[in-house]
Amino acid sequence: MSSDKEAVLARYRAERDKRLRPDGNAQYLETTGSFAHFLDDPYTPRVEREPLTDHVTFAMVGGGFAGLAVGARLVEAGITDVRIIDKAGDFGGNWYWNRYPGAQCDTASIIYLPLLEETGHMPTEKYAHAPEILEQSRRIGRTFGLYDKALFHTRVDDMVWDDERGVWVITTDRGDRFTADYIGMGTGPLHVPKLPGIPGIETYKGHSFHTSRWDYDYTGGDTNGAPLDKLGDKRVAIIGTGATSVQCVPHVARAAETLYVVQRTPSSVDVRANAPIDPDWFAGIATPGWQKRWLDNFAANIGLWPVPSEDLVQDGWTDLTRRIRARVMDLPPEQMNPAGMMAAYEDADIEKMSEIRARAEAIVEDKETAENLKAWYRQLCKRPCFHDAYLQAFNEPGTHLIDTGGKGVERIDETGFWVGGKHYEVDCIVYASGFEVGTSHERRAGFDIAGVGGRRLSEAWSEGMRTFHGLHVHGFPNAFIVQFAQAANFIVNVPHNWTDAGDTIAAVVRHAQETGAARVDADAGAQEDWVKFLMTGPGMMAGAAPDCTPGYYNNEGLARDERAAFAVGHPAGATAFFKYIDDWRKSGEFKGLVFEKAG
Ligand code: NDP
């Protein structure tokens, strides 16, 4: 190994070690108690309604992209009696809640926005802004008639399988007690806001909110990008420098009298190169089946093998893979082994990260600030960011990076925060501190479904997640858990997983109806075989490695218990899974599922 590479890796380790802390996920605070108001819905008034006691064919929890994609595919298959339930006041999921200034997708709209072809929408920009993404959610709702039965501002309390009647009984915080033949869970991976467990956080007397409930009444401006005109005489702190902060900092920097961006770990911020989409160009590519072709092409370009003939999307995500692939291809035959490939990956990554660090140096005028904005870890250790105004924001005279040397804010008091023994008085603290990831599935969902014999999903998964195709769980008939582990596990373009799951669910329910089956369950043996097959793969993604800087990708740098080993995807990658499941659906045999008639 060259001495340069050795030095970079040593720096990575040193930076990681500074950040390791024994409390891991326990360092964060739940948005409960005196912080419960942080979760109030600032966007839609709650409307009272009578509790429901009726029956629907399909009840889907979550009105984000997952629920919408499943709902749309069911309706396309002729199953129109679909009820989507969401705690928000409308469809949109994360995009309902996240309306902070500058919010936009980080994966190209053309593949990130679901069902573009079906809804006839052309994205306006390569990376669409939040209002357009929210509107696409609503458009899906309207196009497929999903509003008719939807329940908003409604939290599911419980979902229990009634074996005798062969239905799911759903209860909610609105007093509903209705039944469904089938249920789906599309509760999403990142929707429970968390707060940093900074000593004294509860004593702060100024204004404060979490980025996922942006307070435009306080800041002025709006989600469409109008200037935050009430901040002109305000000192604002944004705590956190993840993907959310990177997007909202430029807007606050432009508006506030003083902005302190409080950093524990810098994000890697690569080129964004957003641009409007040219309708003529779009008309040329939007031939029947176009979005699936683009989705498949992007997924293929994120995988190492086989090498796709073209890269349609051409962005920062595919660039990294292209570099890794090129280095691997260049390996001499004697180094074409796991160690050689890992070294090639590391070389490609160091090259990329050096460019990203150089970018910080080139853009940020103050040398110390530029140094502190350099990310010292492999790119996939943390969520990569892409932005053309974030680093530039630190050249605004009123904007100051407060680097905490990897330690975080020391404490908060009534008037502000402390870092490095220095007090900063502020009028407002914005928590860009992210969402719960490492907590249990049932804690994040807010309920724990009960299958045959009243067995809770948490019990079924007490020794780690067990599913068939990531979607079905033996003992939980007519239930579909829409998430990405044990399936494609495709985290770069998460909605691709959802439309694919929608295809499977619609095919399974349609098959059950056509064959007169009332109950569909995963065969126990098939589920065991599927999990065994998954475990033959390389394991978790590179970013989840313990030698990465701590974060939600790697359980905050702490050892995981054995159960976490099951959060993997198809051993041959996302494209292989999508191909496999498509063949499985098309075969019409639904091998591994057991269909039973009523009674
Ligand atoms: P993150 O969890 O990524 O970031 C939280 C930030 O808070 C980190 O910078 C963290 O530092 C910091 N922090 C936590 N505790 C402290 C503390 N005690 N003192 C100081 N700083 C602290 O949350 P985000 O909301 O930014 O992003 C979450 C995820 O949501 C993203 O990773 C992405 O997957 C998704 N997202 C997607 C977007 C898109 O597609 N357009 C846009 C925004 C988000 P540290 O890094 O040291 O832990």
Side-chain angles (χ1 to χ4, degrees):
M1 190 188 297
S2 75
S3 59
D4 283 358
K5 181 171 173 181
E6 189 79 75
V8 169
L9 295 180
R11 178 81 192 261
Y12 285 8
R13 285 191 294 275
E15 292 292 334
R16 184 230 18 219
D17 290 350
K18 275 204 270 188
R19 290 169 171 80
L20 279 177
R21 43 189 289 170
D23 50 359
N25 279 310
Q27 68 180 281
Y28 298 107
L29 289 182
E30 272 188 271
T31 24
T32 52
S34 61
F35 299 110
H37 67 281
F38 273 38
L39 297 184
D40 290 349
D41 182 351
Y43 316 120
T44 315
R46 181 184 152 110
V47 178
E48 291 309 319
R49 64 169 175 81
E50 290 301 309
L52 293 172
T53 54
D54 57 350
H55 178 82
V56 292
T57 304
F58 202 107
M60 181 81 211
V61 191
F65 283 171
L68 289 164
V70 171
R73 291 296 190 237
L74 286 167
V75 170
E76 280 176 339
I79 302 139
T80 54
D81 188 23
V82 178
R83 171 170 293 153
I84 296 181
I85 308 132
D86 201 298
K87 60 182 189 272
D90 199 346
F91 290 131
N94 268 332
W95 296 102
Y96 177 85
W97 297 112
N98 285 284
R99 303 186 191 194
Y100 56 84
Q104 66 183 140
C105 56
D106 274 347
T107 306
S109 328
I110 202 149
I111 48 165
Y112 181 77
L113 295 180
L115 307 173
L116 285 173
E117 196 168 351
E118 292 81 344
T119 53
H121 178 65
M122 179 197 87
T124 60
E125 304 174 273
K126 180 158 186 182
Y127 302 97
H129 280 79
E132 182 173 346
I133 305 174
L134 179 57
E135 189 48 32
Q136 176 63 7
S137 308
R138 294 177 173 143
R139 188 176 293 112
I140 297 169
R142 290 193 300 271
T143 306
F144 293 94
L146 296 169
Y147 274 101
D148 300 349
K149 287 209 158 62
L151 297 181
F152 295 123
H153 283 154
T154 302
R155 272 174 197 276
V156 168
D157 284 337
D158 210 354
M159 296 177 116
V160 177
W161 172 249
D162 180 336
D163 213 19
E164 218 160 277
R165 289 193 289 161
V167 292
W168 284 91
V169 180
I170 296 118
T171 47
T172 76
D173 68 345
R174 294 286 198 130
D176 304 308
R177 188 181 177 81
F178 59 89
T179 54
D181 293 331
Y182 299 91
I183 58 163
M185 282 183 66
T187 49
L190 290 156
H191 66 105
V192 180
K194 64 178 164 48
L195 293 170
I198 300 168
I201 183 172
E202 69 293 341
T203 64
Y204 181 61
K205 293 246 184 316
H207 197 74
S208 58
F209 54 89
H210 187 272
T211 46
S212 66
R213 308 288 190 277
W214 193 271
D215 189 349
Y216 284 105
D217 282 345
Y218 179 84
T219 63
D222 62 31
T223 184
N224 294 311
L228 308 171
D229 55 3
K230 293 187 185 168
L231 292 183
D233 58 353
K234 298 283 189 295
R235 296 156 301 175
V236 179
I238 296 183
I239 296 185
T241 51
T244 298
S245 180
V246 164
Q247 295 186 338
C248 70
V249 156
H251 294 259
V252 182
R254 250 173 257 141
E257 177 201 281
T258 304
L259 170 62
Y260 299 114
V261 180
V262 187
Q263 171 177 280
R264 193 167 66 177
T265 309
S267 279
S268 70
V269 187
D270 203 354
V271 174
R272 154 108 297 170
N274 197 15
I277 289 186
D278 173 3
D280 289 336
W281 171 83
F282 184 74
I285 65 132
T287 52
W290 74 265
Q291 199 178 21
K292 179 157 173 31
R293 281 197 300 279
W294 277 67
L295 285 166
D296 289 343
N297 180 268
F298 183 71
N301 274 285
I302 296 300
L304 286 186
W305 191 262
V307 183
S309 57
E310 58 179 338
D311 174 5
L312 294 173
V313 171
Q314 298 200 26
D315 64 357
W317 302 103
T318 60
D319 178 51
L320 178 63
T321 322
R322 193 171 33 249
R323 290 172 189 236
I324 297 168
R325 204 187 286 128
R327 294 237 180 198
V328 170
M329 297 298 171
D330 269 359
L331 284 175
E334 68 278 10
Q335 284 176 32
M336 254 318 169
N337 51 43
M341 285 160 77
M342 184 42 88
Y345 161 64
E346 219 153 47
D347 290 343
D349 194 86
I350 287 176
E351 176 189 86
K352 178 86 189 174
M353 288 301 283
S354 304
E355 286 174 22
I356 292 175
R357 287 189 286 268
R359 184 169 186 252
E361 205 169 290
I363 292 172
V364 179
E365 288 156 12
D366 179 71
K367 291 296 154 228
E368 191 186 341
T369 305
E371 271 314 302
N372 285 331
L373 284 165
K374 290 182 182 173
W376 292 97
Y377 45 80
R378 292 196 301 272
Q379 195 183 22
L380 295 181
C381 282
K382 268 201 173 311
R383 167 65 149 67
C385 296
F386 309 91
H387 213 283
D388 292 339
Y390 175 73
L391 295 168
Q392 290 79 348
F394 293 94
N395 296 334
E396 294 275 352
T399 298
H400 310 282
L401 180 72
I402 307 299
D403 184 63
T404 65
K407 296 294 172 206
V409 176
E410 278 162 27
R411 67 191 163 93
I412 289 180
D413 62 14
E414 290 188 7
T415 57
F417 66 94
W418 292 79
V419 171
K422 187 170 169 201
H423 184 251
Y424 297 84
E425 199 169 305
V426 285
D427 302 298
C428 176
I429 298 181
V430 179
Y431 294 104
S433 44
F435 303 86
E436 288 192 14
V437 176
T439 51
S440 71
H441 184 265
E442 64 277 9
R443 170 166 152 173
R444 278 176 286 131
F447 57 96
D448 188 12
I449 63 171
V452 173
R455 191 169 193 234
R456 297 281 170 189
L457 186 61
S458 58
E459 290 172 53
W461 286 358
S462 59
E463 289 178 11
M465 181 181 182
R466 301 285 195 287
T467 70
F468 180 58
H469 295 168
L471 198 57
H472 322 266
V473 182
H474 174 68
F476 294 80
N478 296 10
F480 304 93
I481 321 256
V482 182
Q483 50 80 51
F484 41 68
Q486 301 196 355
N489 217 20
F490 190 36
I491 64 145
V492 183
N493 188 23
V494 170
H496 190 162
N497 300 278
W498 308 155
T499 40
D500 188 74
D503 287 341
T504 303
I505 294 171
V508 169
V509 175
R510 188 88 202 116
H511 182 72
Q513 291 189 336
E514 280 167 2
T515 56
R519 187 185 148 120
V520 188
D521 199 356
D523 175 69
Q527 178 170 299
E528 211 182 306
D529 289 347
W530 177 251
V531 175
K532 267 192 204 144
F533 168 64
L534 296 171
M535 301 316 275
T536 62
M540 294 180 123
M541 58 173 195
D547 66 343
C548 275
T549 191
Y552 77 79
Y553 277 10
N554 73 344
N555 195 34
E556 301 294 336
L558 299 189
R560 295 171 194 265
D561 67 28
E562 290 137 21
R563 293 174 300 179
F566 292 92
V568 291
H570 191 287
T575 293
F577 176 80
F578 290 133
K579 165 89 177 72
Y580 159 82
I581 202 74
D582 198 38
D583 291 345
W584 181 87
R585 283 188 298 256
K586 283 186 180 139
S587 77
E589 293 175 33
F590 301 99
K591 263 196 198 144
L593 293 184
V594 181
F595 293 77
E596 285 176 47
K597 302 229 187 289

